[in-house]
Amino acid sequence: MPRSKKDNVEDIAGLRERMRHSASHVMAEGVCALFPDAKLAIGPSTEEGFYYDFDLPRPLTPDDLAAIESKMKDTIAKNLPFVFEEINRETAKQMFSHQPYKLELIDDIQDEKLGTYRHGSFVDLCIGPHVSSTGEIKAFKLLSIAGAYWRGDEKRPMLQRIYGTAFETQEALDEHVRRMEEAARRDHRRLGRELDLFSVHEDAGAGLIYWHPKGGRIRTIVEDFWKKEHYNAGYELVYTPHLGKASLWETSGHLGFYRELMYSPMEVDEQSYYVKPMNCPFHIMIYKTDIRSYRELPLRLAELGTVYRYERAGVLHGLLRVRGFTQDDAHIFCRPDQVEDEIIRVLELTFLMLGAFGFKEYEIYLSTRPEKYVGETSEWDRATEALRKAIEKWHLEYNVDEGGGAFYGPKIDIKIRDALGRSWQCTTVQIDFNMPERFDLTFAGEDGREHRPYMIHRALLGSLERFLGVLIEHYGGAFPTWLAPVQAVVIPIADRHQEYAQRVQDELKKDGIRVEVDARSERMNLKIREAQLQKVPYMLVVGDKEVASSAVSVRKRNGENMGAVELQAFREMIKRAAQSRSLE
RNA sequence: GCCCACAUAGCUCAGCAGGUAGAGCACGUUCUUGGUAAGAACGGGGUCACCAGUUCGAAUCUGGUUGUGGGCUCCA
């Protein structure tokens, strides 16, 4: 009977998992051969490959990786069987008496029976599964060395982790390596420099972004789009300060639970002011300027609010992890009976916004009440149900992270998948039972009495910095026409075509097209090459023929040469591409 | 913050074992006016990240600081 494709996919996933797990054992054996005193920690398979953590007498070098790989090849060539054996606790303790990390693991296992896997003379505490023999590890590669805390706890010893990956065929491994290289080519830090989008300055502070004119263009377009859609969706845009007095942050509770992420205060007229790490208290200030009636809720206050948070030096990463960033923030104040509807609307706006950038695949996570929480359980249940129903209203699959909510309320997180299949967290929608209480927010109900509003925090793109970083990688720098900082470059072939080139530019500018003329006295070939490297969507070559016929010769960045197109026809074409937000 | 590595011209990198710096690209000038991914020549440009130390002498060795990269932890 022919197997379904689905079975096949699961087979390969399972095979890879076993093969990688087995490869980690073989690697551990190789490390032990080179370092007889090596202390072994854990070595699982991962989505992309495998790793093993070791406590070693000296730091590893890339040369060590080559030596380990060569040992591994020997073991694989011997095609040793993986043999499972169940042993009792005492035997295990004896067997691993020189392996303190293994002993700790043994102590944590509840079962009296423990599993071991052996190949050749190497035994590891392990429940598998593995491939049946080392020869079944068809293609592998060790990739990198990194530090990792024992059990992920920064108070515990720092171990050395070796990352590697394995595949069922050499071709599949090569393909994986090719994808990693593609990811490196798309790295937003590299493209940010090559396309002159942004910079970061050692002399001016780590994790603080400078948007150059071209990056600024893109950001402005995204922001304008965002503002327009938020007005359409019933939000009001507000602007709030960057500083707030200590008392505000005491009321909000941030000085209590968020202090490590806040910068030191500055003294103004003998008062302490803090730079804001969040926008919510400021929006609350606006809410509190009036007595709110149930009739005017929901009140949706949105702001592209720039916040500053202290992030530890080691975590900073290009645009994706910074110390100053602009959240596409909003706070929705609503009646309890409006929550579900509001969440539905938030999700609708989310999919509209993300969809416009070409993100159509989402992973949705619903996080529920943690052990430590504020507020009433009945309120939590009600709010969590509202989140769940909103997700289901859109017929979406989702994962539940039980107990993964913030202490102040349940939340929905959405991850998007980019062109390389990597996922990124952007959207977060959180209900907050804490702030309304702390700031004593109220509204006058239909019954004339005071009620507590619900408060929803939400950021759809997350932060402009991170989102643009993701966009750069998603498009590989080749922004669709509506986002491209330069949409077209006019390339005169010789100096006598400059005047016409200028006319072409003037004509296109009437439609707001971002068009430049490459007026340098360079050869056309060079100008095409550079426009191509800058990933400009349209190159408009103009020479004698085009001047004579009021046309432009259109070359697209995908290499397609459209030949001569009448100027007015091209004007319509690019206008349509830009206005329709086509993803080309 | 922690582990490891790295820091040389605007960019990408050489510079072997300490004797005061090189290439390509970019930039400037000149020549070239060329039909779909690099025309040519000449030229300018670096207190070798910063601060100490060792040394007759440090880009090169040692320590510290700052920053960057790969991870860990944390997160928009």
Side-chain angles (χ1 to χ4, degrees):
Chain A
M1 203 173 101
R3 300 169 115 179
S4 74
K5 196 178 167 192
K6 199 177 169 208
D7 282 345
N8 204 15
V9 167
E10 281 167 3
D11 281 356
I12 287 189
L15 173 66
R16 284 182 181 172
E17 192 183 331
R18 281 180 287 129
M19 189 182 301
R20 289 166 180 173
H21 192 173
S22 301
S24 88
H25 278 218
V26 174
M27 178 170 79
E29 180 199 12
V31 169
C32 290
L34 291 169
F35 301 92
D37 294 334
K39 303 278 184 285
L40 306 188
I42 55 166
S45 68
T46 64
E47 254 185 71
E48 299 272 279
F50 62 88
Y51 66 82
Y52 211 114
D53 289 345
F54 306 96
D55 194 342
L56 300 173
R58 68 161 173 85
L60 289 165
T61 68
D63 292 340
D64 293 322
L65 288 191
I68 296 163
E69 277 193 348
S70 129
K71 294 265 179 208
M72 291 174 70
K73 279 178 185 151
D74 293 345
T75 302
I76 289 169
K78 285 180 197 156
N79 197 21
L80 303 166
F82 278 95
V83 181
F84 179 74
E85 191 183 349
E86 208 169 55
I87 56 175
N88 65 34
R89 184 174 298 277
E90 276 317 303
T91 316
K93 283 193 168 184
Q94 269 175 16
M95 191 180 278
F96 296 102
S97 60
H98 300 297
Q99 292 290 349
Y101 300 105
K102 295 293 178 192
L103 289 177
E104 188 176 328
L105 291 173
I106 291 167
D107 281 338
D108 283 358
I109 296 172
Q110 304 295 326
D111 261 320
E112 275 314 302
K113 293 285 182 192
L114 291 91
T116 61
Y117 264 94
R118 175 190 303 274
H119 70 271
S121 59
F122 180 85
V123 190
D124 201 356
L125 182 72
C126 179
I127 49 161
H130 285 275
V131 290
S132 55
S133 66
T134 58
E136 287 180 40
I137 302 165
K138 294 301 181 192
F140 78 96
K141 187 177 171 68
L142 300 188
L143 298 171
S144 59
I145 305 159
Y149 297 109
W150 168 235
R151 302 203 137 178
D153 184 342
E154 58 188 312
K155 293 183 187 66
R156 315 222 39 195
M158 176 64 73
L159 307 173
Q160 297 192 67
R161 174 173 297 179
I162 303 176
Y163 282 99
T165 192
F167 284 87
E168 63 285 355
T169 61
Q170 186 62 41
E171 292 73 54
L173 174 61
D174 291 345
E175 168 63 17
H176 181 255
V177 171
R178 203 195 56 71
R179 282 175 72 88
M180 292 200 311
E181 287 164 357
E182 175 61 22
R185 267 193 295 280
R186 285 171 178 247
D187 191 309
H188 71 280
R189 294 164 299 183
R190 173 188 176 139
L191 288 170
R193 152 121 279 301
E194 289 175 356
L195 303 181
D196 199 14
L197 302 177
F198 69 91
S199 57
V200 190
H201 301 269
E202 172 176 356
D203 295 338
L208 303 170
I209 306 300
Y210 292 72
W211 290 102
H212 295 200
K214 285 183 181 160
R217 275 282 190 186
I218 300 170
R219 177 163 169 167
T220 301
I221 296 161
V222 172
E223 289 186 352
D224 288 349
F225 173 61
W226 186 91
K227 288 177 184 171
K228 194 180 97 208
E229 294 302 336
H230 276 69
Y231 275 133
N232 282 344
Y235 287 79
E236 290 301 328
L237 301 190
V238 299
Y239 294 87
T240 62
H242 288 66
L243 305 176
K245 275 163 73 169
S247 55
L248 179 72
W249 302 110
E250 267 153 27
T251 304
S252 72
H254 286 99
L255 282 179
F257 61 79
Y258 210 73
R259 190 173 215 132
E260 324 80 80
L261 288 167
M262 293 171 69
Y263 288 100
S264 311
M266 62 190 88
E267 300 300 316
V268 181
D269 293 342
E270 292 172 40
Q271 298 275 341
S272 291
Y273 282 72
Y274 286 85
V275 176
K276 66 175 170 183
M278 288 192 187
N279 302 301
C280 26
F282 295 75
H283 291 179
I284 287 173
M285 289 296 104
I286 294 174
Y287 182 92
K288 282 177 72 78
T289 54
D290 210 345
I291 293 176
R292 304 293 176 177
S293 153
Y294 72 97
R295 295 173 190 278
E296 64 183 297
L297 300 183
L299 180 64
R300 309 185 189 95
L301 301 181
E303 176 177 15
L304 295 169
T306 304
V307 298
Y308 291 87
R309 297 181 187 171
Y310 172 73
E311 297 286 355
R312 300 153 109 190
V315 307
L316 299 175
H317 182 89
L319 294 175
L320 300 180
R321 193 69 184 278
V322 295
R323 283 179 172 161
F325 56 97
T326 301
Q327 294 182 303
D328 69 314
D329 210 358
H331 295 91
I332 299 169
F333 303 92
C334 66
R335 307 191 304 259
D337 63 286
Q338 294 172 319
V339 176
E340 184 181 327
D341 208 45
E342 282 307 303
I343 303 289
I344 288 170
R345 293 175 60 119
V346 166
L347 294 183
E348 180 176 23
L349 182 57
T350 301
F351 300 136
L352 179 119
M353 298 273 310
L354 295 177
F357 297 99
F359 297 112
K360 307 281 185 187
E361 272 188 77
Y362 312 109
E363 289 167 42
I364 302 176
Y365 297 85
L366 172 64
S367 300
T368 64
R369 194 178 66 232
E371 281 182 27
K372 280 191 152 184
Y373 64 97
V374 299
E376 302 297 322
T377 55
S378 59
E379 295 286 285
W380 274 82
D381 292 344
R382 176 176 189 165
T384 308
E385 238 358 77
L387 293 175
R388 185 189 302 276
K389 281 188 184 155
I391 298 171
E392 286 170 356
K393 161 97 182 178
W394 293 100
H395 305 290
L396 297 164
E397 288 187 18
Y398 62 99
N399 309 291
V400 178
D401 183 0
E402 292 292 351
F407 74 87
Y408 50 79
K411 63 173 179 171
I412 295 173
D413 290 320
I414 301 178
K415 290 185 181 180
I416 53 179
R417 248 176 213 288
D418 74 5
L420 293 187
R422 299 169 301 179
S423 53
W424 307 91
Q425 151 118 47
C426 293
T427 309
T428 181
V429 184
Q430 313 191 348
I431 292 177
D432 190 334
F433 297 122
N434 192 37
M435 290 291 151
E437 201 70 33
R438 284 177 164 273
F439 282 95
D440 192 26
L441 299 188
T442 59
F443 68 90
E446 205 169 356
D447 56 6
R449 298 224 289 263
E450 285 193 344
H451 297 267
R452 188 76 78 207
Y454 269 39
M455 180 172 168
I456 304 166
H457 307 255
R458 42 111 291 182
L460 308 188
L461 309 179
S463 82
L464 270 307
E465 286 75 9
R466 172 178 292 180
F467 190 71
L468 289 176
V470 172
L471 277 190
I472 292 168
E473 304 213 354
H474 178 59
Y475 299 130
F479 288 90
T481 304
W482 75 285
L483 291 170
V486 178
Q487 297 172 309
V489 175
V490 188
I491 299 176
I493 288 178
D495 285 349
R496 64 178 178 281
H497 308 123
Q498 297 285 7
E499 197 186 326
Y500 179 70
Q502 190 58 49
R503 249 174 51 219
V504 171
Q505 180 183 38
D506 293 345
E507 198 62 21
L508 295 176
K509 274 194 165 174
K510 288 180 187 167
D511 285 327
I513 299 302
R514 299 181 289 278
V515 53
E516 292 181 352
V517 176
D518 191 340
R520 297 174 302 167
S521 66
E522 292 289 348
R523 297 183 65 194
M524 174 203 67
N525 288 297
L526 180 85
K527 296 179 185 179
I528 287 177
R529 175 180 157 80
E530 292 191 352
Q532 195 78 46
L533 291 174
Q534 286 297 304
K535 303 174 195 286
V536 176
Y538 297 96
M539 285 152 264
L540 309 177
V541 177
V542 296
D544 292 334
K545 285 187 286 182
E546 288 76 16
V547 173
S549 59
S550 292
V552 290
S553 191
V554 180
R555 179 195 164 100
K556 300 211 276 191
R557 64 183 158 196
N558 62 11
E560 182 190 343
N561 187 346
M562 298 178 69
V565 177
E566 206 277 317
L567 177 56
Q568 292 309 323
F570 176 74
R571 186 175 152 182
E572 280 307 311
M573 181 178 132
I574 192 167
K575 186 171 141 187
R576 211 175 311 118
Q579 287 180 350
S580 69
R581 292 198 288 270
S582 148
L583 289 171
E584 282 219 12

